[in-house]
Each structure stands twice: as C-alpha cells, then as structure tokens.
Amino acid sequence: MKLIKFLFTGIIFGIVMAKSEAFSWYRIQEMFRFQSFHMYVIIGTAVTLGLIGVALIKKFKLRDMSGNPILFFPKEKSVWRYLLGGTIFGLGWALSGACPGPMVVNIGYGYYAMIIVFFFAIVGTYLYGAIKDKLPH
Amino acid sequence: MLELIREPWTWWVSGTVIATIMFSLLYFGQSFGFSSNLRTICAAAGGGKFVKFFEFNWKSQLWNLVFLIGAVMGGYIAQHYLSNGNPVQISESTIQDLSLLGISAPISSQPEELFGLEAITSIKGFLILAIGGLMVGFGSRYAGGCTFGHAISGLSDLQIPSLIAVIGFFLGGLLMTYLFLPFIF
C-alpha cells in the first residue's frame, strides 16, 4: 500500500503529459523548429517553480514524509557523457517524438506503435550497459 | 469544469502540475527521473547475469515502475475521459514545414505517417521507430538522465552536468530536425 501514492502520482503525470500535448510528435517538432512557445513555457514554468522550491528546501532544510532530510546529490562532473549522451538522446527524441515518460503515456492513450519505440529504448539501454566501459565518460 | 479540463491545458497549469509531481516525489523520499525505469526493466529481466551494469537491487526501484504503470493509466484516462477529441493545435508554420516532408496536418495527437498501422508494418516505418527508441534509450543512460531527470530536476538544482545534457538534447534534436529528417522522409 506504500506504493499506491506513486501510482496516483504516475496517473497525474500521464494526464498532464497528454493534456499539455507534450506527448505529441507534432509538439516536439514545433519546439525544435522554434515555431511556438508552447513547450518552452511549460518547461520554463516547471523549472522556475522547481528552482524556487529546491532553494527553499535547502534553505529551510526541509524533510520528507519519513522525517529524513531531503538531499540533492551533485551529479558526477564530466562533459563528454552529458554532451554525447545528450546528443544521441536528442536525435532519438526528434525522430520518435517522445522521451521515455511520454512513450508509455502514448501507449496508454492508444498509440500502440509506441510499444515498438519503448521496447527499443529498453534495448538501447541494455546496449549502453554492455559497451559502457568502451565509451568516453 | 469538466469541459475546461477536456480542453488542452494552458502552459502554466501544465508546468505547475509537473513541478508539483517533482516535489511530491521529493516529499515521498524519491527523486524525479523516468529513464532509470529502462535500466530497472533490464535488471528485472535478468540483464545482470550478462552485464554488470544491471546487477543491482532493482526492487528498490519498484516505486518508479509503479509510477510508470500510473503513467500508462493516466494516458488511458486522458484519452477516454478527459479528451474533446480535437487535434493538436500546432502553429501554421510547423504544418507547412511538415507538409514538405509529406506529413499531413494533425487530425489527432500523432501523425499517421509515423504511428499508423500502414507505417509501422513497412520496413522503413518500423526502422524509424526502432532506431528512434534505441537512441533515446542509449542516450538517456549514457547522459545519466532524460528530459525529466536533467531538464526538470537537474536544472532546478542548478546542476551544470544537467545543463550540458540539455544542450546535448537540443544539439541532437536540431541535427535530426534540420539535417536528417529531410533525408528520412
């Protein structure tokens, strides 16, 4: 039952991805062509509120529901893995029009072709795990 | 009220809901990132037997898989109960650009030319989706996160690595949009 709150949060996530139209291939194309503010203002609002919230959590040392301090761990410093990995991700994002979250929202929405995209995203993750030691990080 | 919910949501409502999801997960003692589910699925499927990267206690990530199932349900609910059936209202200039690629104006949320039955049963159509997915999965793990982990959670915490990753997301996206898509379609 401890997991039910995550199911509920996930449902809200699925609904907002669909209702904001962020799960649409068309919207992603429009974003990469800079022809509408739609995606930018959605992400901008989320990040602005995120910045304020994270700063407040740090300033007041807020705790989570179990009483543990909410901590933020700095990501490992590097350029290559973020730039190369990010670029490969972006190529796939603009082609399939979906990042991992919106993929599964599409499946629930009835766009079953996204099962192919999601399956191959799992394969891609496996491939990374298999050859990661040979890649610059 | 229900009529209003059935319209596409205004940007600030969507952005606020996304931030609320991030803070709810922090309050629950977790952090917002979706692509780690892909790694968890590899581990749960037994990938750890062959690749060390998938040898970890994936059950600790069960909460995120439950979140994933919720996301599928959310998509279902949005389509069945919260949709007015109108196509996405993308800009006129995007419709024109896409028509040059042979992709018709929206009649729903996704183009038939990519996600329709005819498209996915052709070799080319199948490969487009497969290669797209492959790059998203490979790239997100290589970069250590996806749009949510880096662009939302990471930027909110002023993480430089996340900023580099987001620059990469756009670099790749622009290359695909302007350089490769005209050859693919």
Side-chain angles (χ1 to χ4, degrees):
Chain A
M1 276 301 105
K2 265 173 21 190
L3 290 172
I4 198 91
K5 55 184 181 289
F6 295 109
L7 188 74
F8 181 74
T9 325
I11 291 174
I12 303 291
F13 173 82
I15 292 175
V16 72
M17 283 301 113
K19 295 310 297 174
S20 65
E21 299 180 336
F23 80 141
S24 162
W25 186 91
Y26 287 112
R27 283 291 188 197
I28 304 302
Q29 272 300 304
E30 188 187 48
M31 173 183 80
F32 282 130
R33 291 170 191 275
F34 303 102
Q35 286 161 337
S36 163
F37 287 113
H38 186 83
M39 292 297 296
Y40 295 100
V41 286
I42 291 174
I43 299 172
T45 308
V47 174
T48 308
L49 293 173
L51 279 167
I52 299 168
V54 170
L56 290 174
I57 290 172
K58 286 181 173 173
K59 185 163 164 50
F60 295 104
K61 299 193 170 55
L62 297 181
R63 290 170 181 273
D64 66 20
M65 59 184 291
S66 341
N68 299 315
I70 298 176
L71 301 173
F72 298 91
F73 300 99
K75 294 192 198 301
E76 162 199 352
K77 291 229 178 325
S78 160
V79 173
W80 287 116
R81 70 170 298 181
Y82 300 114
L83 198 60
L84 292 174
T87 304
I88 296 168
F89 177 92
L91 286 165
W93 189 16
L95 183 59
S96 66
C99 36
M103 281 177 198
V104 307
V105 178
N106 269 287
I107 296 170
Y109 204 89
Y111 290 111
Y112 300 120
M114 276 289 177
I115 296 172
I116 302 172
V117 185
F118 187 64
F119 175 78
F120 279 94
I122 298 170
V123 176
T125 301
Y126 186 83
L127 200 65
Y128 167 75
I131 65 167
K132 73 184 278 279
D133 295 336
K134 297 188 179 71
L135 300 169
H137 272 81
Chain B
M1 183 64 189
L2 200 59
E3 282 311 302
L4 197 64
I5 289 178
R6 283 189 174 141
E7 296 281 317
W9 293 1
T10 322
W11 54 273
W12 62 268
V13 175
S14 308
T16 307
V17 174
I18 295 169
T20 309
I21 291 169
M22 179 179 104
F23 288 118
S24 304
L25 293 177
L26 286 174
Y27 181 67
F28 298 154
Q30 302 295 351
S31 63
F32 192 20
F34 199 92
S35 64
S36 42
N37 276 320
L38 299 170
R39 186 185 177 202
T40 307
I41 292 169
C42 288
K49 272 178 262 171
F50 311 101
V51 177
K52 216 167 167 289
F53 185 62
F54 302 112
E55 208 183 291
F56 66 100
N57 177 23
W58 62 269
K59 285 186 179 139
S60 67
Q61 294 295 307
L62 206 57
W63 70 270
N64 211 342
L65 289 179
V66 173
F67 181 89
L68 183 154
I69 293 164
V72 178
M73 290 167 65
Y76 181 88
I77 293 167
Q79 203 271 324
H80 285 261
Y81 304 107
L82 304 174
S83 167
N84 57 12
N86 289 342
V88 259
Q89 302 288 321
I90 53 167
S91 74
E92 210 41 56
S93 36
T94 310
I95 292 177
Q96 275 181 12
D97 281 7
L98 293 178
S99 76
L100 294 176
L101 296 176
I103 291 170
S104 47
I107 48 165
S108 68
S109 302
Q110 299 288 18
E112 277 292 303
E113 289 85 350
L114 270 110
F115 301 99
L117 194 62
E118 204 178 316
I120 66 168
T121 47
S122 74
I123 294 175
K124 184 181 160 186
F126 181 84
L127 282 178
I128 287 173
L129 298 186
I131 293 169
L134 206 67
M135 288 194 290
V136 169
F138 187 94
S140 61
R141 208 67 271 126
Y142 192 3
C146 57
T147 336
F148 298 101
H150 278 310
I152 311 276
S153 301
L155 290 185
S156 293
D157 188 30
L158 295 168
Q159 296 263 354
I160 300 295
S162 292
L163 184 64
I164 303 171
V166 173
I167 292 170
F169 294 168
F170 267 85
L171 202 63
L174 294 176
L175 281 173
M176 178 54 70
T177 301
Y178 291 102
L179 209 62
F180 299 123
L181 280 189
F183 286 100
I184 295 171
F185 290 105

